[in-house]
Amino acid sequence: MSFKFEKLTIWQKSMELGETIFQITINFPADEKFNLTSQIRRAVDSIALNISEGAILQSQPEFKKFIGYSIRSCAEVVTCLYKAKFRKYISEKEFNELYSICFNLTNMMIGFRNQL
């Protein structure tokens, strides 16, 4: 038994990204707790949350709208990653790896939305 969204690769990948971001932000400075740390965690969690919400009892146009929210949340994560890199909270290597994951996930979500 499972929910429809659990079978979606975009949901699975967004869940993985969320856990990766959570682990990385543990090392952010304490004074960022209510700023960048909170913002990036909420944005990354919003990706999976919107996919799952859109997949349940929504019309096709509504589901597309929720996928759009997920795409925008992923862009927000990328901007937070830039902030973290500029502030030296993450390395260039970490940034590049996470940027690539976000880029690929965004393209997957766009492709998925276009097929709905």
Side-chain angles (χ1 to χ4, degrees), residues 5-16 51 105 108:
F5 62 82
E6 292 175 281
K7 297 173 185 155
L8 297 175
T9 303
I10 56 172
W11 181 82
Q12 295 166 3
K13 298 273 185 201
S14 66
M15 290 292 288
E16 290 170 14
I51 292 168
L105 178 57
M108 289 173 69

Side-chain angles (χ1 to χ4, degrees), residues 27-51:
N27 298 318
F28 283 14
D31 64 347
E32 286 286 10
K33 182 177 181 181
F34 300 109
N35 294 314
L36 189 59
T37 301
S38 175
Q39 189 69 31
I40 195 170
R41 286 179 177 178
R42 286 182 290 117
V44 77
D45 286 347
S46 184
I47 300 168
L49 290 168
N50 279 303
I51 292 168

Side-chain angles (χ1 to χ4, degrees), residues 32-74:
E32 286 286 10
K33 182 177 181 181
F34 300 109
N35 294 314
L36 189 59
T37 301
S38 175
Q39 189 69 31
I40 195 170
R41 286 179 177 178
R42 286 182 290 117
V44 77
D45 286 347
S46 184
I47 300 168
L49 290 168
N50 279 303
I51 292 168
S52 59
E53 186 175 354
I56 300 294
L57 300 175
Q58 301 293 340
S59 65
Q60 193 173 43
E62 279 291 303
F63 193 11
K64 283 184 176 186
K65 184 168 72 171
F66 279 92
I67 297 297
Y69 296 152
S70 293
I71 293 166
R72 289 189 286 279
S73 291
C74 202

